[in-house]
Amino acid sequence: MRYLPHSDTERADMLAAIGVGAIDDLFTGVPADKMLKGPVNLPRRKSELEVARILGSLAAKNVPASTVPFFVGAGAYKHHVPATVDHLIQRSEFLTSYTPYQPEIAQGTLQYLFEFQTQVATLTGMDVANASMYDGSTACGEAVLMAHRVTKRNKAILSGGLHPHYAEVVETLSYMANDRVMRLPADVKAAEDIIALIDNETSCVVVQTPDVFGNLRNLRAIADACHAKGALLIAVFTEAVSLGLVTPPGAMGADIVVGEGQSIGNALNFGGPYVGLFATKSQYVRQMPGRLCGETVDAEGRRGFVLTLSTREQHIRRDKATSNICTNSGLCSLAFTAHMTLLGSEGLARLARINHAHAVKLADMLANVKGVEVLNQSFFNEFTLKLGKPAASVVEALAAKKILAGVPVSRLLPGAGLDDLLILASTEVNTDEDRAILVAALKEVL
Amino acid sequence: MLNRQGRPSQAGESGMNSAKTFTGNRALEQVEPLLFEIGRLETTGVDLDEPQAFTPRLGGLERQDGIGLPGLSEPETMRHFVRLSQKNYAIDTGIFPLGSCTMKHNPRLNEAMARLPGFADIHPLQPQSTVQGALDLIAQLKEWLKELTGMPDVDMTPKAGAHGELSGMMAIKAAIIAKGEAATRTVVLVPESAHGTNPATAALIGFTVKPVPARENGLVHIDDVKALLGPDIAAIMLTNPNTCGLFEKDIVAIADAVHEAGAFFYCDGANFNAIVGKVRPGDLGVDAMHINLHKTFSTPHGGGGPGAGPVVLSARLAAFAPLPLLEKNGNGFALCESEKTAEARGAHPYGRITAFQGQMGMFVRAFSYMLSHGADGMRQASEDAVLNANYIRAGLRDLMSQPFGDKPCMHEALFDDQWLKETGVTTLDFAKAMIDEGFHPMTMYFPLVVHGAMLIEPTESESKASLDLFVAALRDLAMAAKAGDTERFTQAPRLAPRRRLDETLAARKPVLKWVPPVPLSEAAE
Ligand SMILES: Cc1ncc(COP(=O)(O)O)c(C=O)c1O
């Protein structure tokens, strides 16, 4: 077996050195009647070539985003990631290292985490960010738990513009933790009056912008209303590129900002691995979940970085920890940081403008199609269409024509009576030709 | 070295007992400032054309300020991160014997497979008819995990071990709620030797954690469990093989007692790599167990993630697995994403723990590992992992003390600091001296039940020559400690990119992000 260095002679020598006769003498702790007598019922080992064939044929049965006109968003986005990024995350020293528990020989990881935290805090307009969560949805769940700790209350109000899967993650956690959630009905046109619902028992209000239907939301008044009642505002985003062009939540009074960082540096990967971003104000830092990297000096006074404030974490605080998270999304945060470094403010702002321009162009083209209504007053790179026909069947019909046209709202909210709504995203990868093909095909199937 | 603000980026860069250099660099070891100190606000390393003029549709929410993040050109970006990488230790550069963490070789075939566009470039919400190969892979991986564990079902959604614990414990809580016992079954038993994620997970969803003591032999005793069992117990969370590197020999009796008391048995499967192909958790009475694909099945740790933590479930819990569920029907594979459809199939998902269907990137890598090894290779890998740990144990047992006596271990060898008494050297000092010898230290001070614990897990990836050198070096260190050469330890590491770092300072005055010395608006001019 190519991954196992020992020869049988070496194995025998080692057993002799240990002082046992056979390998199973080392498994004496296992109840004898439970030991398997032979290999399990699975195929035997395979060469690289054979494995590549098997997996290659499975991969070939899928339709990659880059091979078709592609307009799918709603929580994950197709962007171009520079080749440099994937090279850097495959550096052995990053790819095959562990959580930086020995800082003297992990300054590479620690310094990029410090850079990542700086980038996330700056982009979101917040004071501090942690070293990543699993993804945007789990970051959202953790934010609600944190708000409960900060306010010593346990009722969360979720906007109807929050991604339904994020809302479900919060509902599940809350149900299990015996906390309360008020989830507002789907709010396609950003018309809900969430402020009226905030009371003295409210721990937090969770609002997404751009929301799942693509609308941009001004958080200022909601933040003020939260603060007047002693509640926190949690702002959520799923499209990190939007931060290059729209007012960041921190500038609108958010107390905690969480989001999905996949768009910057990371592939679609069919849903994971992604990278959850988590930022807040300085005064709440000791209630934050997850790892934090901080600056310090070494014994010779040289600047260096370490994991810090770990008395919040499970390995020290156990059942009193702020979260159970341990392994996070280290390498995905490196991808984010490397891509963000290549972009810089200039590149990110321009990338965001291109995304917005593409979406505007597409929305205008679609608005002219008979039977299509664009519902959004505002949007960044994603918006919602009303089709007058079940969107799921339209999407299937377009898929048959090798066009991946978006996410039917019925897929996210089955049974909500919104079956004729379609969420479409348009990023820098779409060409004029892609848009023309989509519009022409849509005319045919509608 | 001066940065653009004209202040030293690091004081005394050139380090102890070395010639001073003008740059602060030391040949291959380069000083690398923060990217913010070398970047410029107007610089970008991507070529993008400004879009043609258009009317924005942002509803008056345009960003008013500059973003404030300096950029680097592509060559500068490459050099910055490559230089940073060179300050890291990694499996690819040497043995990484972190107990419990399973730092085994990460095959590059797996990286290549995960990057096939058919896996990496597909969207979680694109039509299911266009991702049949991906769903097929998940279905096959599930079958392999079921066969290897002897369990009837597996929840693929969790994103790491701790997330798997959360999902498994939520399934248990859902089952308890379904039995109408939520008000009474509120306590979860967790051995003192458990990983911190176990009590943290139980507490996160409202359980009270009650510790189970560890016995002299490093094992949980059935009598201690029985004494704690009662109508208030929801579950026990037991790690097996446990965090002392030992197989819990009472495990079947414990499972039986737990079930008899109406409770559930959650097994922390972080150490599954010791027993793959040798014994199956399903034959031991386990109700739920997460599997860290980033440990047992070699997906890279990546400096702290991402991982994946599928949870195998017993027949009693399978119906409660979270959304989305994977099913096979006449048209191929489908994801069941709504509670209503699930209920119609007789399932009762407890809810959802993440936006999409889990860590596809890790699934591809893990499946590639499994196919490569096959049933025979995986069994051999477990045996070699156990062989290597015992070889190290045997090589050090005359010099270092074993807390539970001289007996075989599983995949990791545990020592305590009894043997360091009166030497003036601590476990931490010993670990730091290993760094100077070119090794990553073992896991230290875990498990908590062992004083000054040193938990060494070599994995099956180490050759005999590598183990021999490691043992010889540790013997030399151990003898030096006993001989009173304390300087070699208390001053260590001396040869790493940094000496010991001041963690107290970091925590007392947290500096968690870079702040420009001059406001960026001025610096940009
Ligand atoms: C025994 C044990 N349990 C649980 C975990 C948590 O796993 P993860 O880091 O993947 O969340 C770990 C690993 O860190 C572990 O060693």
Side-chain angles (χ1 to χ4, degrees):
Chain A
M1 206 287 128
R2 62 185 179 275
Y3 302 137
L4 302 175
H6 301 330
S7 67
D8 283 343
T9 321
E10 283 171 326
R11 289 189 179 104
D13 289 349
M14 291 168 74
L15 285 172
I18 295 164
V20 295
I23 186 70
D24 280 352
D25 295 343
L26 299 174
F27 284 83
T28 45
V30 181
D33 60 327
K34 300 295 180 192
M35 286 279 278
L36 293 170
K37 302 293 171 268
V40 288
N41 183 26
L42 290 168
R44 65 187 293 278
R45 68 166 181 262
K46 290 187 167 54
S47 69
E48 272 214 5
L49 185 59
E50 290 172 290
V51 175
R53 262 188 207 131
I54 293 170
L55 295 177
S57 77
L58 285 172
K61 290 183 190 154
N62 307 317
V63 180
S66 51
T67 59
V68 291
F70 188 84
F71 302 92
V72 189
Y77 302 87
K78 168 70 185 168
H79 290 287
H80 174 74
V81 179
T84 301
V85 173
D86 197 43
H87 172 81
L88 287 171
I89 66 170
Q90 288 193 77
R91 285 283 305 187
S92 286
E93 302 90 329
F94 290 135
L95 184 75
T96 77
S97 63
Y98 200 73
T99 302
Y101 290 144
Q102 298 288 345
E104 298 89 347
I105 46 173
Q107 285 298 302
T109 297
L110 286 158
Q111 184 167 329
Y112 84 64
L113 289 177
F114 188 79
E115 294 173 345
F116 170 78
Q117 291 175 180
T118 304
Q119 288 173 336
V120 174
T122 307
L123 275 176
T124 53
M126 303 301 284
D127 299 329
V128 290
N130 75 9
S132 83
M133 309 299 289
Y134 305 131
D135 69 8
S137 69
T138 67
C140 184
E142 293 269 15
V144 169
L145 294 179
M146 173 172 150
H148 294 346
R149 290 192 295 275
V150 169
T151 59
K152 303 199 166 61
R153 302 176 183 174
N154 77 346
K155 185 174 115 188
I157 303 178
L158 311 184
S159 157
L162 180 62
H163 193 294
H165 290 174
Y166 286 41
E168 287 171 32
V169 169
V170 174
E171 283 181 321
T172 300
L173 256 182
S174 304
Y175 172 68
M176 290 288 171
N178 306 317
D179 295 326
R180 291 179 289 164
V181 206
M182 180 190 287
R183 176 178 172 187
L184 302 192
D187 182 31
V188 182
K189 293 191 168 178
E192 70 194 3
D193 182 9
I194 207 164
I195 289 176
L197 301 168
I198 306 171
D199 60 18
N200 290 326
E201 294 184 357
T202 307
S203 138
C204 58
V205 173
V206 184
V207 185
Q208 181 176 328
T209 181
D211 70 20
V212 70
F213 303 104
N215 309 292
L216 293 169
R217 295 185 180 228
N218 191 338
L219 305 178
R220 191 25 85 191
I222 306 175
D224 291 343
C226 282
H227 299 156
K229 291 271 165 57
L232 303 189
L233 173 62
I234 298 172
V236 180
F237 57 88
T238 59
E239 173 49 293
V241 173
S242 67
L243 295 170
L245 193 57
V246 305
T247 308
M252 297 190 281
D255 299 286
I256 305 174
V257 181
V258 290
E260 177 52 68
Q262 172 269 330
S263 278
I264 300 183
N266 289 277
L268 287 169
N269 286 327
F270 200 44
Y274 287 173
V275 50
L277 310 181
F278 196 113
T280 188
K281 297 176 172 168
S282 314
Q283 70 251 42
Y284 304 132
V285 69
R286 282 168 206 274
Q287 292 298 338
M288 279 179 99
R291 296 190 180 119
L292 286 165
C293 171
E295 184 181 321
T296 187
V297 293
D298 80 349
E300 292 174 29
R302 297 177 293 185
R303 178 170 69 188
F305 302 92
V306 290
L307 293 181
T308 192
L309 300 180
S310 42
T311 49
R312 299 164 299 113
E313 290 183 73
Q314 46 76 26
H315 61 280
I316 310 274
R317 196 54 66 83
R318 298 177 76 82
D319 55 335
K320 305 281 187 305
T322 56
S323 166
N324 72 336
I325 194 169
C326 179
T327 291
N328 55 20
S329 294
L331 204 67
C332 303
S333 58
L334 173 62
F336 180 100
T337 293
H339 191 183
M340 196 52 233
T341 302
L342 284 165
L343 288 166
S345 297
E346 277 292 311
L348 181 67
R350 196 171 301 160
L351 178 65
R353 283 194 295 272
I354 295 170
N355 272 257
H356 187 43
H358 282 195
V360 167
K361 212 185 263 186
L362 182 64
D364 287 346
M365 287 167 76
L366 289 167
N368 287 325
V369 176
K370 208 172 125 260
V372 174
E373 187 190 343
V374 178
L375 297 182
N376 299 57
Q377 294 298 317
S378 67
F379 57 89
F380 169 62
N381 68 356
E382 189 166 27
F383 50 84
T384 301
L385 299 183
K386 192 169 162 61
L387 297 177
K389 227 184 180 185
S393 62
V394 172
V395 165
E396 278 301 335
L398 293 171
K401 295 174 181 288
K402 294 269 174 221
I403 302 164
L404 296 182
V407 180
V409 170
S410 60
R411 177 136 185 214
L412 302 173
L413 290 164
L418 301 171
D419 293 3
D420 57 351
L421 302 188
L422 176 65
I423 303 170
L424 264 107
S426 185
T427 73
E428 76 282 3
V429 304
N430 298 131
T431 60
D432 282 334
E433 194 189 352
D434 289 341
R435 282 181 284 271
I437 293 173
L438 173 68
V439 170
L442 196 58
K443 282 179 182 159
E444 279 174 38
V445 304
L446 276 182
Chain B
M1 184 194 177
L2 298 185
N3 60 28
R4 65 188 51 254
Q5 275 81 36
R7 66 188 170 89
S9 54
Q10 279 126 334
E13 186 61 45
S14 55
M16 199 176 131
N17 62 33
S18 66
K20 288 248 187 294
T21 59
F22 174 75
T23 53
N25 296 335
R26 294 171 65 186
L28 291 184
E29 205 201 309
Q30 310 263 352
V31 175
E32 188 57 18
L34 288 165
L35 73 89
F36 313 109
E37 293 163 343
I38 50 177
R40 283 90 53 202
L41 281 178
E42 67 280 11
T43 303
T44 176
V46 295
D47 290 322
L48 294 167
D49 288 331
E50 195 57 46
Q52 286 169 355
F54 70 103
T55 312
R57 216 72 66 81
L58 297 171
L61 288 170
E62 284 93 336
R63 216 182 222 281
Q64 298 303 315
D65 55 343
I67 300 168
L69 286 173
L72 295 175
S73 65
E74 183 173 309
E76 293 170 294
T77 300
M78 186 63 83
R79 196 167 285 168
H80 175 69
F81 289 103
V82 169
R83 284 181 174 184
L84 288 187
S85 77
Q86 290 173 330
K87 299 175 197 305
N88 264 7
Y89 194 95
I91 311 170
D92 286 351
T93 54
I95 181 172
F96 212 126
L98 275 178
S100 210
C101 301
T102 313
M103 295 296 279
K104 61 169 71 177
H105 172 61
N106 300 152
R108 290 315 193 276
L109 171 67
N110 307 355
E111 294 303 304
M113 294 299 101
R115 284 171 171 79
L116 292 173
F119 297 133
D121 195 27
I122 54 174
H123 189 288
L125 295 174
Q126 71 187 59
Q128 293 177 21
S129 56
T130 65
V131 291
Q132 286 297 303
L135 296 176
D136 191 352
L137 184 143
I138 299 176
Q140 290 189 47
L141 178 57
K142 286 180 75 162
E143 290 308 313
W144 281 62
L145 289 172
K146 281 152 65 174
E147 179 63 28
L148 289 173
T149 57
M151 300 284 283
D153 206 351
V154 49
D155 155 25
M156 296 301 288
T157 54
K159 298 203 155 245
H163 208 220
E165 291 174 34
L166 188 61
S167 189
M169 290 303 289
M170 282 183 173
I172 286 173
K173 186 151 183 175
I176 288 172
I177 293 170
K179 286 202 292 176
E181 297 180 340
T184 47
R185 294 200 184 268
T186 56
V187 177
V188 171
L189 301 178
V190 182
E192 288 165 334
S193 58
H195 194 258
T197 50
N198 293 186
T201 299
L204 196 66
I205 53 172
F207 288 117
T208 306
V209 175
K210 203 182 257 187
V212 186
R215 290 267 178 127
E216 301 277 274
N217 61 0
L219 300 172
V220 171
H221 197 283
I222 174 71
D223 292 347
D224 296 340
V225 175
K226 277 191 173 155
L228 291 164
L229 285 173
D232 58 331
I233 304 299
I236 186 168
M237 294 181 86
L238 201 61
T239 309
N240 189 46
N242 72 20
T243 60
C244 302
L246 303 172
F247 196 94
E248 293 286 356
K249 67 176 172 47
D250 283 354
I251 189 159
V252 177
I254 293 173
D256 288 347
V258 165
H259 291 153
E260 211 162 290
F264 290 87
F265 176 11
Y266 186 90
C267 182
D268 182 329
N271 295 333
F272 185 47
N273 59 304
I275 57 169
V276 177
K278 296 293 287 182
V279 52
R280 308 201 303 174
D283 297 334
L284 304 172
V286 166
D287 287 304
M289 181 183 92
H290 72 264
I291 299 167
N292 310 59
L293 297 186
H294 47 299
K295 298 182 179 184
T296 301
F297 298 110
S298 86
T299 79
H301 279 271
V311 191
V312 287
L313 299 170
S314 65
R316 297 205 293 161
L317 293 179
F320 301 101
L323 297 172
L325 307 172
L326 180 59
E327 56 187 27
K328 192 165 185 185
N329 57 35
N331 300 325
F333 296 94
L335 287 169
C336 164
E337 295 172 301
S338 88
E339 205 165 310
K340 218 167 132 197
T341 350
E343 295 281 348
R345 311 260 198 294
H348 313 289
Y350 70 69
R352 180 184 275 280
I353 53 160
T354 177
F356 304 117
Q357 42 271 347
Q359 304 283 70
M360 184 66 188
M362 281 39 230
F363 299 162
V364 180
R365 291 172 175 89
F367 194 46
S368 177
Y369 172 98
M370 290 182 186
L371 288 172
S372 294
H373 280 78
D376 48 335
M378 284 191 276
R379 183 180 164 97
Q380 186 70 59
S382 299
E383 291 181 355
D384 284 0
V386 171
L387 178 69
N388 287 359
N390 280 285
Y391 188 67
I392 288 179
R393 195 181 56 77
L396 298 173
R397 63 184 155 193
D398 57 325
L399 288 173
M400 293 165 59
S401 45
Q402 302 177 69
F404 308 118
D406 186 25
K407 57 180 185 189
C409 59
M410 299 298 290
H411 62 299
E412 50 196 0
L414 178 60
F415 297 95
D416 61 18
D417 62 358
Q418 181 70 28
W419 66 281
L420 283 172
K421 249 194 181 155
E422 260 110 65
T423 60
V425 174
T426 63
T427 292
L428 180 73
D429 298 331
F430 190 77
K432 299 300 182 193
M434 286 170 68
I435 293 177
D436 280 336
E437 295 294 337
F439 299 116
H440 195 284
M442 63 274 144
T443 291
M444 339 171 275
Y445 302 104
F446 175 81
L448 305 177
V449 292
V450 169
H451 201 271
M454 306 181 195
L455 188 63
I456 306 179
E457 178 177 9
T459 82
E460 69 277 14
S461 306
E462 296 305 318
S463 67
K464 181 166 177 296
S466 165
L467 297 172
D468 284 337
L469 180 63
F470 181 77
V471 167
L474 260 63
R475 291 188 67 83
D476 186 70
L477 284 172
M479 286 186 286
K482 290 185 192 213
D485 184 5
T486 42
E487 279 236 326
R488 184 166 169 195
F489 299 89
T490 54
Q491 292 301 308
R494 282 177 293 197
L495 307 174
R498 284 291 176 277
R499 305 287 304 281
R500 283 192 211 186
L501 291 136
D502 189 342
E503 304 200 4
T504 316
L505 174 71
R508 208 177 54 229
K509 289 197 198 144
V511 178
L512 305 173
K513 70 172 181 188
W514 176 76
V515 181
V518 213
L520 275 171
S521 47
E522 295 164 35
E525 279 151 24

